[in-house]
Amino acid sequence: MSSKINRIHAPLRVIAVALIVSIVTVTQPAVGHAAASKKVEEAAALSVVAAAKAKAGQHKICADLFVQAYKLDPTYLGYLYSAARCSQKAVDYDRAEQGYRAFLARSEAEHPLHKRAVNHLKEITAIREKEQAAATNKDGAAGKDGATGKDGAT
């Protein structure tokens, strides 16, 4: 009699295992989606704080917060652009350039911020060229006599 019961219960066990596997498979994406949704919400909250820091003139902190937001939600490229913009306002041109270039590499030409990023890169290039020209002029003028304009070395 015991073997008859085992033969009856064996198919039920297979059905039970299949049911458990299907439940786990169906609920796992929901769990993953909930975690992703929470990251998107955290990123949005960070961006609100970042915007407040920008308004207060704390551009370095603003840039750091936008970078954190982008790491939480890399699908929203606006965070990457905003981090670059805050870096530029903080006069951290290397970081701003890196951020704009990363944004441009990830965004389509039709993205609403694409042209602005290109223009900001041009601004940074112009600032660097102006600074380099000023430094060159300063270095050239340092070796000359201020009154006569002749070389100070005799």
Side-chain angles (χ1 to χ4, degrees), residues 112-153:
L113 298 171
H114 192 88
K115 286 182 182 178
R116 291 169 107 183
V118 169
N119 289 334
H120 292 312
L121 273 175
K122 289 178 184 176
E123 291 170 3
I124 290 170
T125 301
I127 289 167
R128 286 181 169 161
E129 288 172 354
K130 188 176 180 180
E131 288 174 348
Q132 187 175 11
T136 301
N137 289 339
K138 191 177 190 180
D139 290 343
K144 297 194 178 218
D145 183 330
T148 64
K150 296 182 182 177
D151 247 352

Side-chain angles (χ1 to χ4, degrees), residues 35-45 72-73 75 79:
S37 178
K38 182 175 175 151
K39 285 185 175 186
V40 169
E41 289 174 13
E42 287 176 24
L72 288 170
D73 183 10
T75 63
Y79 297 143

